[in-house]
């Protein structure tokens, strides 16, 4: 029932806008910023943000948003981030997570990594259908967003010092199973995205694990790691 009550908290349109904004930032968000993004008064935003924290959808803390410390730095402000806990509702109750973990455990013990990656690549190709390989990073963002990866473009400095862009993803749809079987599931995820985006187009997917993000990034093929 707790998951149902938490998700029900998003029924209010203002509350949902605030939650979606905070979740999309991938960092702490203050009340003023959230209110401006949602187009509501600060007091109303504060009320809804606290309700989201009470429901377990956001986590709250406090810090000085001025970046200063000591006398005259001002009082710490309340800030919010998306809660790490996973929420899901199934009526009637289903337990696909246990089934996925059992299958992953069996595959790992049987050494079926290559077979799983091949199946994942075929599934990605099937999802793409007859469409051409992904045409660029912007299109990759759209495709990944549709699959729930929460992608965003990020600038990185290459070996030559020139800035390049990669697509990182704040959400891994397989997070719960990947935590228990990281090599197996991350390899599966990479193969799935290779099939979805294509391997002979202008973008490529590669492994680049970073705490808090999906283990895969997408970049222009011409980067070749530079």
């Amino acid at each position: 029932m707790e998951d149902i009550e938490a998700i029900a908290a998003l029924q209010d349109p203002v509350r949902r806008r605030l939650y979606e904004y905070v979740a999309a930032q991938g960092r702490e968000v203050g009340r003023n910023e959230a209110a401006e993004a949602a187009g509501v008064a600060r007091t109303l935003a504060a009320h809804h943000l606290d309700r989201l924290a009470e429901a377990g959808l956001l986590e709250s803390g406090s810090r000085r948003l001025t970046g200063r410390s000591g006398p005259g730095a001002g009082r710490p402000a309340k800030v919010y981030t998306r809660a790490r806990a996973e929420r899901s509702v199934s009526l009637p109750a289903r337990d696909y997570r246990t089934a996925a973990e059992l299958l992953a455990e069996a595959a790992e013990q049987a050494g079926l990594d290559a077979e799983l990656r091949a199946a994942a690549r075929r599934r990605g190709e099937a999802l793409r259908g007859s469409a051409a390989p992904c045409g660029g990073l912007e299109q990759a963002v759209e495709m990944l967003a549709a699959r729930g990866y929460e992608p965003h473009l990020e600038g990185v400095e290459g070996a030559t010092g020139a800035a390049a862009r990669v697509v990182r993803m704040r959400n891994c749809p397989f997070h719960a199973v990947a935590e228990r079987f990281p090599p197996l599931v991350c390899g599966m995820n990479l193969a799935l995205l290779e099939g979805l985006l294509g391997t002979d187009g202008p973008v490529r997917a590669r492994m680049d694990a970073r705490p808090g993000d999906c283990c895969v990034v997408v970049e222009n093929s011409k980067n070749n790691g530079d």
Side-chain angles (χ1 to χ4, degrees):
M1 291 297 294
E2 288 184 1
D3 282 357
I4 294 177
E5 292 171 357
I7 294 173
L10 296 173
Q11 184 175 0
D12 183 279
V14 173
R15 200 172 298 160
R16 180 160 187 166
R17 289 203 305 274
L18 288 164
Y19 172 79
E20 289 175 345
Y21 179 78
V22 173
Q25 304 315 302
R27 56 173 172 79
E28 294 176 328
V29 175
R31 287 172 167 175
N32 287 340
E33 179 186 347
E36 184 176 353
V40 298
R42 183 184 184 280
T43 52
L44 180 60
H47 166 73
H48 285 304
L49 288 166
D50 285 340
R51 287 291 302 274
L52 289 167
E54 292 169 5
L57 295 172
L58 296 180
E59 294 177 357
S60 63
S62 61
R63 67 176 176 86
R64 288 188 173 92
L65 298 178
T66 61
R68 296 180 296 171
S69 60
R75 297 177 58 185
K78 200 163 188 180
V79 292
Y80 303 83
T81 57
R82 180 167 57 180
R84 291 183 290 271
E86 183 177 311
R87 303 285 184 175
S88 63
V89 174
S90 177
L91 297 173
R94 297 288 188 262
D95 191 4
Y96 299 115
R97 175 174 173 175
T98 296
E101 290 178 347
L102 290 171
L103 290 168
E105 182 178 355
E108 187 175 74
Q109 292 179 353
L112 297 176
D113 302 57
E115 289 81 358
L116 179 60
R117 289 195 300 269
R121 190 171 289 106
R122 290 194 298 270
R123 175 58 63 91
E125 292 169 349
L127 291 171
R128 177 160 51 94
S130 59
C134 178
L137 294 182
E138 285 75 13
Q139 185 181 359
V141 168
E142 294 179 4
M143 295 172 69
L144 294 167
R147 304 296 306 173
Y149 283 91
E150 298 184 5
H152 65 283
L153 281 166
E154 183 176 291
V156 297
E157 185 174 324
T160 62
R165 295 192 305 168
V166 299
V167 177
R168 289 195 177 273
M169 295 161 268
R170 294 193 176 98
N171 181 51
C172 172
F174 317 110
H175 174 72
V177 187
E179 279 194 316
R180 288 196 57 189
F181 309 94
L184 182 78
V185 178
C186 290
M188 176 200 75
N189 187 28
L190 174 61
L192 177 71
L193 294 182
E194 287 176 339
L196 179 67
L197 302 173
T199 56
D200 54 352
V203 302
R204 68 169 184 174
R206 64 175 175 86
M207 199 75 73
D208 186 14
R210 188 172 74 176
D213 284 343
C214 175
C215 58
V216 178
V217 299
V218 179
E219 65 184 6
N220 290 317
S221 298
K222 63 182 180 181
N223 287 348
N224 293 322
D226 295 336

